[in-house]
Amino acid sequence: MKKKNWFHVIIFGILFSMLVACSGGNGETTSEEKDPKDDDQTPTEEVSGGTIIGAMDTAPTGVFNPIFYTEAYEANILSFTHEALVTQDNELNFVPNLASKWEFNDDQTEATFTLEQGVKWHDGEEFTADDVVFTYKTMASPGYVEAGGVRTDFVVRLLGYEDFSTGKTTDFQGVVKVDDYTVKFNFTQPNVTALKDASFSIIPEHVFKDIPVAEIPEAGATLNPGEVIGTGPFKYAEAIEGEQYVLEKNADYWQGEPKLDSVVWRVVDQAVILGLLENGEIDFVADPNGFQAADFETVSAMEHISIIEQPDFGYQLMGMNINHRTKEDAEAGTINPENFVPNKKLSDKRVRHAIAYAVDRQGLIDGLLYGRGEVINAPIATQFWAYDGENPNQYPFDPDKSNELLDEAGYKDVNGDGFREDPDGNEWVLTLNYPIGNQIRERSAPIIQEYLQAVGIKIDLRQPMEFAAYAEALDKNNQDWDLYLLGWSLGSADPDPSGLWSSKAGYNFGRWYNPEADQLLLDALSPPDAFDQAYRTKVYSDWQVMYQDDLPALILYAQNSLWAYNNRIQGIDVRPYSFINDSHIWSVTE
């Protein structure tokens, strides 16, 4: 997959994950690559074959299927194994990939894609229009969301989606085969994000066609090395779960046989990444967390290592569980905003505002990121034209304002123990949950606890959880969760935040429900006005203002991404959204 269609989150990184960037809020994307220390000592003649080793600090949860994966660690594997019809260049323009060209009809309700011929799946079967139709049909199918699928944003604008996804019809009109190498996307109305919608990684029909949608997440072809099938330059070949994941070259890759024999991902603690990078045991560290800002000077001093520092698409947040799903809806995997149950501990908007004023976000950046990041006040990447850094509430660090709001809302220290009770005089404790794996996030949790307790908010700082368990708990919408830490890697295709923040979005873990905000997200994509970027900019500005007022999450910071690689690797072309691009031309010099 060409990263990260949503979520990156990933998400996760979920979620993610989630990094980003000091762009000064000007929307410009820049990158800085360290010059090798001594060109005379840097070998430049590539050798045949070879293996490179990358490091990630958290093990993938194990779902290696583009339509069902949920976090950035799995995306590290999928970035090598799967591909989409289109991808993006360094200027974020859409360019051909599995599709060689496309054309729109006059009213922008149809997009016809001509597919590359001669593309083979890893098992030797031919890639055709049937695979494209199957991928999108599966994401639009009844039961997809219930099975854990969260990629509906790529299909909701397709013609007939509502009736097909609810089972009212078995006729899928959204993506249709014209012939073996031509496929047509049909949209309900002129579609501003048509190319983004067509940018999702394709899965093979012949592998999954006989597996019910509900069973795909548990299928061997989703989970097991050797069974995961894509069209990408590398195959997922073997794994020691939680420790090592091996990708072997796809010799029949349609853009040419990869120069490397294999790429290996090792799962290592962030604390040892530096040493492994220095002694050559790993060759690169990139998504989702790179290396730590505290180690920048140390890595910079390594003669054989190049550094890439640039804005990335993402942010770290402290989410607020404004509402919960009912237990019945959570168990069924359904998201029905009308059934959301308010979390009384956070229902008063003034409380959420007070929490924001109580957290010194710049202090987190200075102390934990060594200044390599920035405060942002909207959940849209600063590189996008849609980001509004001025109009949304900025929530500067202001404990006095926090105390004032809490007093006004009736949360006062009645018994003199230093912590506030609720307006009814009952004990008021907010839970704060976070996962392990990202050291900065782990270190921020007790600091945030101190900030909040300084204004009298008693915090139950939960024991950190392994990420897989944490992600599952978030998805099931644990009834006793109040605050949670998370990070998101965002898609680079379009600034539309619906996939994370609309009321029916699976990743809207705080279950924020504001019909006016939902309508703004719809307006920003509704023709004909939405074909005017100035119009979309205004609508997204209004939405960001509303987001910051409702405050379903406090955006803590956008962290600079810090990636590093051994100079023996050749052919790396870093783009604003990804380290992993055109990996079939990567090679090594020794």
Side-chain angles (χ1 to χ4, degrees), residues 52 83 110 122 144 146 169 202 244 289 293 323 334 350 393 432 450 500 559 580:
I52 61 173
E83 299 173 301
E110 298 176 1
H122 291 159
Y144 171 69
E146 289 77 6
T169 179
I202 307 302
Q244 181 170 288
N289 298 318
N323 299 299
T334 60
R350 292 171 294 184
N393 195 327
L432 175 58
E450 291 181 11
L500 293 177
Q559 178 181 345
I580 301 170

Side-chain angles (χ1 to χ4, degrees), residues 170-478:
T170 57
D171 180 23
F172 180 62
Q173 306 174 61
V175 182
V176 297
K177 174 183 176 180
V178 178
D179 57 43
D180 282 348
Y181 304 108
T182 311
V183 64
K184 181 183 292 186
F185 283 64
N186 298 309
F187 301 103
T188 303
Q189 59 184 4
N191 187 4
V192 177
T193 62
L195 289 177
K196 186 273 288 184
D197 290 348
S199 70
F200 199 83
S201 293
I202 307 302
I203 62 173
E205 180 195 38
H206 69 279
V207 172
F208 292 104
K209 65 180 179 180
D210 295 326
I211 303 175
V213 173
E215 298 176 16
I216 290 178
E218 303 300 325
T222 290
L223 305 175
N224 301 329
E227 296 184 57
V228 174
I229 302 297
T231 61
F234 289 85
K235 306 176 183 181
Y236 178 35
E238 59 184 89
I240 303 174
E241 189 171 349
E243 298 181 19
Q244 181 170 288
Y245 301 81
V246 179
L247 300 160
E248 294 181 350
K249 74 176 179 181
N250 172 18
D252 295 324
Y253 182 53
W254 63 281
Q255 294 194 75
E257 181 178 352
K259 295 181 178 181
L260 293 173
D261 290 329
S262 59
V263 177
V264 177
W265 284 103
R266 288 180 57 189
V267 180
V268 298
D269 190 277
Q270 280 189 352
V272 301
I273 283 179
L274 230 60
L276 298 177
L277 196 63
E278 184 169 27
N279 65 25
E281 290 187 54
I282 61 174
D283 293 297
F284 68 93
V285 55
D287 297 315
N289 298 318
F291 67 88
Q292 299 303 297
D295 300 321
F296 186 90
E297 296 303 324
T298 300
V299 177
S300 183
M302 297 179 186
E303 295 287 335
H304 61 298
I305 298 297
S306 290
I307 290 174
I308 298 160
E309 180 177 14
Q310 67 174 18
D312 195 69
F313 291 80
Y315 48 81
Q316 294 287 334
L317 62 84
M318 179 170 66
M320 306 191 199
N321 289 100
I322 300 175
N323 299 299
H324 295 285
R325 283 192 290 179
T326 63
K327 291 183 178 180
E328 293 76 16
D329 281 355
E331 290 173 0
T334 60
I335 299 173
N336 185 348
E338 297 295 336
N339 292 343
F340 286 173
V341 179
N343 179 4
K344 294 182 180 180
K345 291 191 287 183
L346 288 170
S347 291
D348 193 321
K349 186 163 58 177
R350 292 171 294 184
V351 170
R352 303 195 296 273
H353 291 186
I355 289 172
Y357 283 115
V359 177
D360 185 358
R361 293 181 289 164
Q362 188 61 50
L364 292 175
I365 293 170
D366 293 340
L368 299 179
L369 304 181
Y370 293 78
R372 295 184 180 275
E374 68 173 330
V375 172
I376 64 172
N377 291 291
I380 292 178
T382 60
Q383 299 93 326
F384 279 126
W385 45 265
Y387 175 74
D388 186 341
E390 297 179 3
N391 292 304
N393 195 327
Q394 305 292 294
Y395 295 109
F397 179 48
D398 190 344
D400 291 338
K401 180 68 172 177
S402 180
N403 282 314
E404 177 186 330
L405 287 169
L406 291 168
D407 288 343
E408 180 184 311
Y411 290 81
K412 299 180 180 179
D413 182 8
V414 176
N415 58 18
D417 66 352
F419 295 109
R420 298 171 182 271
E421 280 70 45
D422 70 18
D424 296 324
N426 300 315
E427 184 181 30
W428 183 50
V429 182
L430 300 181
T431 62
L432 175 58
N433 301 272
Y434 65 104
I436 62 174
N438 180 314
Q439 288 187 353
I440 298 298
R441 186 164 52 218
E442 290 180 47
R443 290 168 60 194
S444 69
I447 297 174
I448 291 171
Q449 179 189 32
E450 291 181 11
Y451 286 144
L452 297 179
Q453 294 195 156
V455 295
I457 303 175
K458 190 172 185 178
I459 297 296
D460 174 13
L461 184 62
R462 300 281 183 76
Q463 288 295 313
M465 303 169 64
E466 291 286 345
F467 195 83
Y470 187 80
E472 182 178 2
L474 267 175
D475 183 55
K476 296 301 182 185
N477 203 218
N478 240 324

